[in-house]
Amino acid sequence: MAIEKMKKLRLMAVRGQKEELLRELLLLGCVEVSEPESDALEPEVRDHLSKEGSELLRYRGEHSRLVQAVELLGKYAPAKKPLLSAKPETDSDAILDDSTLPQMLETADEIIGRDERIRRITAEESRMRGQIESLSPWLELDYPLACPGTEKCSVVLGGIPAAIDIGSAEAALNDAVEEAALVRVDSDKDQHYLALIALKEELPTALDSLREFGFAIASFSGMDGTAKECTERLNGELKRLAGEKEAAAKEIWDQRVHREELELSADRLNAKIACAEAEDRMYGMDSTIVLQGWALAKKVPELEKCLEKYDCAWELSDPEPEEYPDVPVKLTNNNITNGLNMVTNMYSLPAYDGVDPNPLMAPFFILFYGLMMADMGYGLLMIIAAVVAMKKIKPRAGTLSFCQLLLWGGISTFVMGFLTGGFFGDALAQIGKILGKPDGWGELWCLFNPMNDSMMVLIGAMVLGLIHLNTGMVISVVEKVKKGDAESAIWEEGSLWVILIGIIFMVLDIGSIAGVPLVLVLGCLMLFYGGSREAKGFGKVTSVFSTLYNTLTGWFGDILSYSRIMALMLAGSVIATVFNTIGGIANNLVLFIIVFIIGHALNFALNLLGCYVHDLRLQCLEYFGKFYKDGGKAFDPLAINTKYYDITE
């Protein structure tokens, strides 16, 4: 596996063939259009170029309307689909056929308009219900709410807090005004609802006397008649609005027959948006257009065959080293390494002149994941879930990578579970005890047991870590030699390997003279010289100490990180055993099954995520740190990208 080779494309074409050319490139799906380099053009050409315009904003707006309409249909008329169903399929010709697009946009606008009407009605209903609630304390008052009183008397409706004694308010009112009355209409836990009756000329004095008791005048603007009459009128209006709302919802429901065509139209606009985005990156003049981008090298014959049909001139060239940071990256994958795209994308794509990490990482990632999870039962669940998902939903792109990674991780988990004798922990042995089976029934064969052989597992994890790190160093050496930097490989990775061999010889008491391990000393000298090569003066002395410190702490920390393999294997096994033990305490099979399902669901979910995160850390920090050059940007070709339909090959 490797990083796909790219060709730099420069093209000039007749303006009249622009749309047809973009359509062909869209179907081909191997060209990423980028902004052209103006300095690469002749001055007399460059001065006459201007940026191409497009209808990108309009297409995006129309696409948004179609997607909103589809979502509204899902809300008002949910489609009944089988569980884990695959997307419907169509061909590229159907995606590019926009003859029904205007009609579907009108349909989408109708659906959106009905939904907006429903939302306005809902807001109006909420307002009316608030009014009805505010009128409920006044229902027993047989008096028009908007009536200010008689010719000489004023009637003011209001309230005071429930904590205030009405008698005190009445006393204060009587002291201030001789002829006035305070009538209690209703009370609740928050407020007393009152009617103040006073002569018009004494009303201001009466209100002033009640102000210290928190008297607030109630507002009934727009309310004609008594509270009961207003409530009945509002309830009638609510009933009318409910009918109107139901009718609008029914009209949306009736549009469900257009669901598939709306979805297809949304995908059609996705294709138009892709072409418009490419068009926005192009330049042109009155009769010609200029396009620049990157093309997959392996697709060059197909691309040239396509371009030969048009009145255009083009140039395909290899990118120069100084252009590598701008070259898009596409990884070549097979069924095994494709699952690792999920890991690589979460970290960073490799630089164009770097190395494809997926095939180099796949064996270690899958092995480490299986070691951390290490249970046949969990492995079976992962395998079944992956196989069912790939068969039922026929995933593509990122979803396919996830399913493939789940499958390979499940296989590794099952194999390591077989070697450690774990099948949902010791579930079979616990079931045997509940059923009265003899001791030892349900105990599976194991090569090693993480709970009994934890020290062996720890040492094994460290050894695997050493192999993992040295593999990264081998890759680094190969890349340095390819780039003509063999000297760095000798003084950096080479010195560490000599030190490692020297340590092994010292332990085996080989190659020592007068008790001095010569190979180890040679490796240390190589390391110190390599670390101080570029230092000058007193810096050569300080570089010796910094090299020693960085090497010791770096390698010790890196190798110690692999103890997480043992920790997660042990944690998963212990938690599974604990849940099985809890379930078996009552010696009842039904209770055991209940505890088993709940406990192992939690443990499985925790380990599924935890093992992935810690495995990801070992790859991205320890392994990639030895050789990986990141910073690549993903290859984003002009191609048909759909949301609702899959395109048949």
Side-chain angles (χ1 to χ4, degrees), residues 27-41:
L27 292 172
L28 202 57
C30 68
V31 174
E32 177 180 323
V33 180
S34 59
E35 295 280 351
E37 298 173 359
S38 58
D39 56 356
L41 300 171

Side-chain angles (χ1 to χ4, degrees), residues 304-322:
E304 290 181 332
K305 185 178 179 180
C306 168
L307 296 178
E308 286 172 356
K309 297 185 294 185
Y310 299 95
D311 299 324
C312 62
W314 71 88
E315 177 190 32
L316 287 163
S317 59
D318 293 323
E320 298 296 331
E322 59 269 17

Side-chain angles (χ1 to χ4, degrees), residues 314-558:
W314 71 88
E315 177 190 32
L316 287 163
S317 59
D318 293 323
E320 298 296 331
E322 59 269 17
E323 294 177 314
Y324 286 169
D326 299 322
V327 182
V329 174
K330 179 177 174 59
L331 304 179
T332 304
N333 294 294
N334 56 32
N335 289 335
I336 295 178
T337 60
N338 186 63
L340 275 299
N341 277 341
M342 183 177 173
V343 179
T344 306
N345 291 335
M346 288 188 69
Y347 182 70
S348 175
L349 284 172
Y352 181 71
D353 58 340
V355 60
D356 182 359
N358 288 354
L360 305 170
M361 174 175 56
F364 293 106
F365 190 95
I366 295 170
L367 174 63
F368 291 170
Y369 194 94
L371 282 169
M372 293 177 186
M373 202 83 161
D375 189 281
M376 287 188 286
Y378 295 165
L380 278 175
L381 290 178
M382 294 168 66
I383 294 170
I384 292 170
V387 171
V388 170
M390 286 192 286
K391 184 175 181 180
K392 291 289 186 181
I393 66 176
K394 298 177 182 178
R396 299 189 181 190
T399 308
L400 178 60
S401 295
F402 172 77
C403 291
Q404 290 174 331
L405 188 62
L406 186 66
L407 175 62
W408 296 118
I411 293 173
S412 179
T413 298
F414 182 85
V415 172
M416 294 305 161
F418 174 75
L419 295 179
T420 58
F423 185 80
F424 295 108
D426 61 344
L428 295 178
Q430 288 291 343
I431 292 173
K433 291 179 182 179
I434 295 173
L435 298 177
K437 300 291 184 180
D439 291 342
W441 188 90
E443 293 182 2
L444 303 176
W445 172 88
C446 65
L447 182 63
F448 60 93
N449 188 304
M451 290 192 289
N452 299 332
D453 306 313
S454 55
M455 184 54 65
M456 185 193 78
V457 174
L458 177 60
I459 295 172
M462 299 292 191
V463 172
L464 283 174
L466 199 59
I467 296 172
H468 196 215
L469 295 174
N470 276 278
T471 303
M473 292 170 62
V474 170
I475 300 168
S476 177
V477 168
V478 172
E479 289 299 303
K480 287 178 180 177
V481 172
K482 283 182 179 178
K483 295 175 182 177
D485 193 15
E487 184 180 359
S488 295
I490 292 172
W491 297 119
E492 293 173 9
E493 286 82 7
S495 62
L496 291 172
W497 283 334
V498 173
I499 291 174
L500 180 60
I501 295 171
I503 293 173
I504 295 173
F505 280 6
M506 184 178 67
V507 173
L508 299 176
D509 197 18
I510 300 174
S512 297
I513 299 178
V516 178
L518 294 182
V519 179
L520 179 59
V521 171
L522 175 62
C524 291
L525 292 174
M526 290 176 63
L527 179 68
F528 294 146
Y529 173 75
S532 61
R533 277 183 304 152
E534 299 178 357
K536 295 181 180 180
F538 186 70
K540 287 186 175 291
V541 178
T542 58
S543 66
V544 171
F545 294 100
S546 62
T547 300
L548 178 63
Y549 176 80
N550 292 333
T551 302
L552 288 177
T553 56
W555 271 85
F556 179 77
D558 288 348

